[in-house]
Amino acid sequence: MDIINSIIGLGASVMMPIIFFIIALCFGVKIGTAFKAGMLVGIGFVGVGLVINLLLSNLGPASQSMVEKMGLNLTVVDTGWPTASTIGWGSPIMLPVVIGFIVINLVMVLFKLTKTINIDIFNYWIFLLVGSVVYAGTESYWVSIGITYVIFIGTLVAADITAPYLQRNYNLQGISFPHLTCIMYVPFGIVTNYIIEKIPGLNKINLEPEMINKKFGVFGEPLTLGFILGLVLALMAGYPLSESVALAVTVSAAMLLLPKMIEILVQGLLIVRDAVEAKLKKKFPNRDFYIGMDTALLIGEPSVLATGLLLIPMAIVLAFVLPGNKVLPFVDLASLMFLLAMVTPFCKRNMFRMFICGTLVLTSIYYVGTDISTEYTQAAVNSNIPVPEGISEMTNIVGGATTPAGWAAVKIGELIAK
């Protein structure tokens, strides 16, 4: 556990260059080129992390201010994905689950059960979080581990299925995204798109970024759209004009800079991917392989960022009006764009359809979060995370436990353990 925690503690910006450097050497890349590939990946992750942290750290207070202005008094508080990841990595089942994941992935690749080689080790916390909540609800070590394995296997298969669509939409050949939180909402996108296609009038609404840009010129560009959305959010939060403009510029900067940082990261990815593909094609001429990556690579898409920003006020309104909801959106409000990262191609990059889909996703999250809040809070206690003073129960919005798969895992686990 100390070794694993030390590796995870390095962070993606250090861990990923090391992983890519080693992979590149193993597949015959010259040491200088391997070093360059690893560094480009690392620099890209640093850049993406800086921009995302800049965005989240500025959106967070604005989102929380909106919650306070609405006067919401709900008992299950969203303590955010950083706390959720700590619950996952601090879980009693952590060690066997992580080792099991690595073994399972290798076996599935060898027996042609998956094309995805998942190197997104940091985001194992999403699966671990689900297992932790199942363990809290069942008190069964082996039931929680077994269910977590099943979810991991299902996610690898789903990553294979969704990869071609994401590769075409984002121009990321040879990459897949075995990210439980994001992949669970792909069906929401498919159903939303199908229903809207059948409704006259609504099926004519086209809010693709390119269409907006073509119609409104500079006022439809991502940087202008970011400025407008940031300004509106700041004013809704009650910020004075000077702070509103500052937030607007920050959001605009994020929408412009994120794609640039991702381009740097992808340069390193391509070097390694091409080497891996060439070597594997020689040994396995009739097989394709995907490198499993973090969905942070997808956040730079303008439609994802813009729709994620639009969902912040909607999330607050939904928390207020949904009957039976007890979840108070808080820390994860600034991270809502991650919920849409894999939905984009299935909604044709149409921000209207993505917004409708996001609203349905949030509704699902609130009811799941309400229903499993007791188990989630116990999972935090099991991981030695104290419940903050003034909070009766905890949850998080952008995490695996509040997905439909997370809810099903808890309920099935409790049924088996009876």
Side-chain angles (χ1 to χ4, degrees):
M1 288 180 68
D2 287 341
I3 293 170
I4 292 172
N5 285 328
S6 297
I7 294 171
I8 297 302
L10 294 173
S13 60
V14 176
M15 185 171 64
M16 296 308 287
I18 295 172
I19 291 173
F20 272 89
F21 176 72
I22 293 171
I23 291 174
L25 290 179
C26 290
F27 283 90
V29 177
K30 293 180 180 179
I31 189 167
T33 306
F35 175 77
K36 180 182 178 180
M39 288 302 296
L40 284 171
V41 170
I43 291 166
F45 265 108
V46 169
V48 169
L50 285 173
V51 177
I52 289 177
N53 287 334
L54 174 69
L55 184 65
L56 301 189
S57 62
N58 282 274
L59 283 178
S63 304
Q64 292 164 16
S65 178
M66 277 189 270
V67 170
E68 292 167 4
K69 284 174 69 68
M70 286 284 290
L72 295 177
N73 185 24
L74 301 167
T75 57
V76 181
V77 179
D78 158 38
T79 52
W81 73 263
T83 301
S85 66
T86 306
I87 294 172
W89 285 114
S91 168
I93 66 171
M94 188 273 282
L95 189 60
V97 166
V98 170
I99 294 172
F101 282 177
I102 295 169
V103 173
I104 287 169
N105 197 174
L106 290 173
V107 170
M108 289 182 69
V109 168
L110 288 173
F111 285 92
K112 302 182 181 180
L113 300 175
T114 184
K115 300 175 184 177
T116 295
I117 302 169
N118 185 9
I119 63 170
D120 184 23
I121 297 172
F122 175 77
N123 280 318
Y124 279 3
W125 73 262
I126 299 171
F127 301 98
L128 287 165
L129 176 65
V130 175
S132 301
V133 177
V134 173
Y135 180 72
T138 62
E139 297 183 354
S140 172
Y141 195 71
W142 296 111
V143 167
S144 54
I145 290 174
I147 288 177
T148 309
Y149 285 166
V150 170
I151 292 175
F152 181 73
I153 291 168
T155 303
L156 288 176
V157 174
D160 289 348
I161 295 170
T162 55
Y165 301 95
L166 294 161
Q167 288 170 9
R168 285 197 299 269
N169 190 84
Y170 291 97
N171 195 26
L172 291 171
Q173 299 306 311
I175 308 296
S176 67
F177 297 92
H179 193 286
L180 176 62
T181 303
C182 301
I183 215 162
M184 277 306 305
Y185 300 120
V186 167
F188 284 72
I190 294 171
V191 171
T192 300
N193 188 72
Y194 177 81
I195 292 173
I196 291 178
E197 283 284 359
K198 302 297 180 182
I199 302 175
L202 291 184
N203 59 9
K204 301 298 183 184
I205 299 175
N206 185 3
L207 294 182
E208 292 179 28
E210 291 81 8
M211 181 61 68
I212 295 172
N213 192 4
K214 182 179 179 180
K215 190 171 183 178
F216 296 101
V218 68
F219 295 101
E221 291 184 9
L223 63 91
T224 309
L225 191 60
F227 183 89
I228 294 170
L229 290 173
L231 187 63
V232 170
L233 289 173
L235 293 174
M236 289 179 66
Y239 280 16
L241 184 59
S242 59
E243 293 182 23
S244 297
V245 173
L247 179 61
V249 172
T250 298
V251 174
S252 179
M255 292 196 72
L256 185 65
L257 292 175
L258 258 180
K260 307 292 185 186
M261 296 300 103
I262 291 170
E263 283 178 16
I264 295 172
L265 194 156
V266 170
Q267 288 179 38
L269 278 178
L270 291 177
I271 294 172
V272 178
R273 188 209 68 190
D274 291 346
V276 170
E277 188 175 51
K279 187 73 78 172
L280 290 176
K281 282 291 184 184
K282 286 183 179 179
K283 292 191 176 183
F284 308 98
N286 298 318
R287 291 193 62 185
D288 292 322
F289 295 91
Y290 303 143
I291 298 174
M293 292 292 292
D294 187 350
T295 49
L297 283 175
L298 309 179
I299 301 302
E301 159 67 40
S303 62
V304 174
L305 269 177
T307 313
L309 294 173
L310 290 170
L311 281 178
I312 293 175
M314 175 54 76
I316 297 169
V317 171
L318 281 176
F320 187 77
V321 301
L322 285 176
N325 171 56
K326 296 180 182 179
V327 173
L328 175 67
F330 201 57
V331 178
D332 270 347
L333 276 173
S335 304
L336 295 182
M337 65 278 295
F338 282 92
L339 300 176
L340 301 170
M342 295 181 67
V343 166
T344 312
F346 302 96
C347 287
K348 300 182 177 179
R349 300 180 68 245
N350 187 327
M351 290 188 287
F352 170 72
R353 300 182 184 193
M354 291 171 67
F355 181 77
I356 300 299
C357 175
T359 302
L360 296 175
V361 166
L362 284 169
T363 301
S364 169
I365 288 170
Y366 285 155
Y367 283 126
V368 171
T370 298
D371 192 49
I372 65 168
S373 57
T374 301
E375 292 92 339
Y376 189 102
T377 306
Q378 184 58 48
V381 173
N382 290 346
S383 296
N384 298 315
I385 297 175
V387 179
E389 188 177 346
I391 293 177
S392 57
E393 291 183 314
M394 300 164 56
T395 190
N396 86 296
I397 295 175
V398 185
T402 49
T403 63
W407 180 84
V410 173
K411 297 305 173 182
I412 292 171
E414 290 174 346
L415 190 63
I416 294 172
K418 282 184 179 179

